[in-house]
Amino acid sequence: MLYFDNAATSLPKAPLVGERMKYYIENIGVNINRSVYAPAQEAGLETLELREKLSSYFHHDDATRVIFTSGNTAALNMAIKGCLKKGDHVLVSSMEHNAVMRPLVQLGIEFDRVPSDLCGRMDLSAIKPLIRENTKMFLLCHASNVCGTVQDAKAVGELCKLHDIDFVLDAAQSAGHIAVDFAELQLSALSVPAHKGLLGPQGIGALLISQELASRLDPLIAGGTGSMSDSEELPPYLPDRFEPGTPNLPAIYGWSAAMDYVNRIGVEDRRKQETELTEYFIRGVENIDGIRLIGSKRTDDRVGVIAVDYVNLDNAEAADILEQRYGILTRCGLHCAPSAHKTLGTFPRGVVRFSIGHMTTKAEIDAALTALKETAV
C-alpha cells in the first residue's frame, strides 16, 4: 500500500502516539478537574503540558487560551458562531473549505469571497474594496486542501489589524508542515487539527485565541467543568469557560507524544524535505501526457498537496484503478471545497489528489508517477 492521502489524515502517526493512548486507557482512565487523587493529577498535568506545547509551537502567548475541541471543524465553528451574528459581514477567500462556508451559510452571515487566480493565489489587492463598515472577520484557509497553495497570511493580518477586523486562520493543511506564528501573523484565532500535519490522533483539535477575542467569544456548549461547582453559570476564566464536559483524554495523551516528535524533527527541516519531494513529484507530472497539474508549479508558495486531472479518464475511475491495480491510495472528488474547485476550473468533475506526508519517500513518488503514466490513456 502506498499512502498519498495525508491531507485527509496523516499515516503513519508519530511514534508513541498509540502507546501513550493505550497507556492512558489501561493505566490512568480517570477524568480531570474533578478529583485530587494521583491519576487525576497526572492526567491534568499531561493536559496542561499539551496546551503549553501548542502555545509554544505556534508562538502564542498564553496556554490558558489554547482551547481543546473535537477537531478543526469544531474549532472553526467555535470562532464563527461564538463571535458573529446576523447583520455582520465577513471576508473569505475563494479557496475555503466547507468547515468555514457551511457555518456562515447556516447562520445567514453575509460574506464576500476574495477572488483567487487559477493557481489558487488570493488577489490581495481585491481585499480592501470589499471591506465594509460592518466587516467583523476575515476567515482564511492558510493552505489549500485541494491544490496546496499557501496564502500570504502575514499581509492579510496586517490589513485586518489596520481595519480592526478579527483574523481567523484555518491551519488544517499548514500546521506542522510550515511555520505558523500566531504573533507575527497578528491572529485573533488559529484553528488546528491534531491528526494531519501535527501527526496526532483523530477526534481532537484546538482553537488558539487572542486575549481580546477571548473577552468577546461566547461559549457554544455549557455544562460542568469541575470548577465553580457552586454556581449554575459558566466560569469566567479560561480554559474552563470553553471546555465543559469530559475532554478526550486518550487523544490528549497521544497528541502530546506527537508534539514531542514534531518538535524533535523541526518544522524547517520537515518543510525542506517535503518541498523537495513536492518539486520532484511536480516535475514528473509535467512530463506525463494526458495528466494536467492543477495549481501552482512553484514550490515556494505551496505545501505537498498535489492535484491532478485526467484528460481522457474520469477522475473517480482513475483513483479506483490506482488503488486496485497499484495499491496507491489517493482522494478524488471535490474535497469539501466546491468554491476552491470553481476557482481552479475543476468543478464539478474534481481532481485526483496526492498528498505527501512526513514518511513519504522518493521511491513511493516514483511508483506513483509510473502509475500515472500507465493510467493516463
Side-chain angles (χ1 to χ4, degrees):
M1 179 184 78
L2 299 180
Y3 187 74
F4 282 97
D5 200 17
N6 287 280
T9 195
S10 56
L11 187 70
K13 302 300 181 185
L16 301 182
V17 168
E19 287 87 341
R20 289 296 289 166
M21 296 177 76
K22 181 173 184 285
Y23 166 77
Y24 167 80
I25 291 169
E26 294 187 350
N27 297 284
I28 304 300
V30 301
N31 209 340
I32 59 171
N33 299 339
R34 272 79 174 170
S35 306
V36 294
Y37 43 72
Q41 295 285 3
E42 180 189 316
L45 183 59
E46 188 82 13
T47 303
L48 173 60
E49 288 177 349
L50 176 56
R51 289 190 213 279
E52 292 173 342
K53 289 173 187 178
L54 291 168
S55 187
S56 174
Y57 186 79
F58 293 110
H59 300 275
H60 177 259
D61 63 345
D62 186 350
T64 66
R65 287 188 268 106
V66 176
I67 311 302
F68 291 128
T69 67
S70 64
N72 193 65
T73 297
L76 287 167
N77 270 261
M78 180 181 287
I80 293 167
K81 295 179 179 179
C83 285
L84 299 174
K85 61 184 184 304
K86 276 201 172 183
D88 290 340
H89 172 256
V90 305
L91 295 175
V92 297
S93 79
S94 67
M95 298 297 290
E96 297 308 309
H97 189 277
N98 277 343
V100 163
M101 298 314 302
R102 286 181 174 176
L104 291 177
V105 170
Q106 183 186 41
L107 289 177
I109 301 295
E110 259 192 291
F111 61 85
D112 278 303
R113 301 182 208 264
V114 181
S116 304
D117 63 20
L118 285 173
C119 290
R121 295 189 198 98
M122 187 170 57
D123 181 2
L124 295 172
S125 68
I127 297 174
K128 193 172 180 180
L130 294 174
I131 296 175
R132 304 181 192 173
E133 193 174 308
N134 63 333
T135 302
K136 302 297 184 183
M137 184 179 288
F138 198 125
L139 290 148
L140 181 64
C141 173
H142 196 195
S144 171
N145 72 307
V146 176
C147 66
T149 299
V150 175
Q151 306 293 356
D152 188 347
K154 186 174 181 180
V156 175
E158 290 170 355
L159 196 58
C160 288
K161 186 74 171 178
L162 184 65
H163 293 274
D164 196 25
I165 298 169
D166 289 330
F167 182 24
V168 178
L169 191 68
D170 172 4
Q173 300 297 337
S174 58
H177 297 287
I178 61 176
V180 181
D181 189 315
F182 191 99
E184 182 184 20
L185 300 180
Q186 303 186 74
L187 299 177
S188 305
L190 173 69
S191 68
V192 297
H195 69 104
K196 297 180 189 275
L198 296 177
L199 308 179
Q202 291 93 334
I204 188 170
L207 184 71
L208 288 71
I209 55 179
S210 68
Q211 184 174 6
E212 199 281 327
L213 186 73
S215 68
R216 295 185 284 108
L217 189 66
D218 287 330
L220 294 186
I221 301 172
T225 60
S227 53
M228 280 184 58
S229 294
D230 60 327
S231 172
E232 292 180 342
E233 294 184 2
L234 279 167
Y237 45 80
L238 278 62
D240 299 39
R241 183 168 178 78
F242 298 105
E243 292 184 3
T246 299
N248 187 349
L249 286 160
I252 284 172
Y253 272 68
W255 196 4
S256 188
M259 289 308 301
D260 290 340
Y261 176 74
V262 165
N263 277 309
R264 190 160 63 248
I265 62 177
V267 69
E268 295 303 331
D269 287 345
R270 184 174 171 192
R271 171 68 169 157
K272 183 174 182 291
Q273 176 191 4
E274 292 181 359
T275 298
E276 289 172 356
L277 291 172
T278 302
E279 172 93 22
Y280 186 70
F281 201 127
I282 289 172
R283 297 292 85 83
V285 167
E286 286 183 305
N287 295 321
I288 302 175
D289 292 333
I291 297 287
R292 286 196 316 134
L293 176 71
I294 304 300
S296 178
K297 295 181 181 180
R298 293 161 44 186
T299 54
D300 62 327
D301 66 345
R302 59 142 61 236
V303 293
V305 178
I306 301 154
V308 301
D309 183 22
Y310 277 77
V311 176
N312 301 310
L313 185 64
D314 179 81
N315 285 319
E317 184 180 354
D320 184 60
I321 293 171
L322 288 172
E323 179 189 1
Q324 300 301 327
R325 193 180 299 173
Y326 300 92
I328 295 174
L329 307 184
T330 62
R331 182 173 170 199
C332 67
L334 294 173
H335 310 90
C336 300
S339 179
H341 279 277
K342 290 173 183 176
T343 298
L344 298 168
T346 53
F347 186 88
R349 68 186 180 280
V351 297
V352 179
R353 184 185 72 185
F354 292 78
S355 44
I356 290 169
H358 72 296
M359 295 296 285
T360 303
T361 66
K362 190 175 178 183
E364 289 175 328
I365 292 175
D366 282 332
L369 292 171
T370 296
L372 284 168
K373 287 177 186 176
E374 293 178 358
T375 52
V377 294

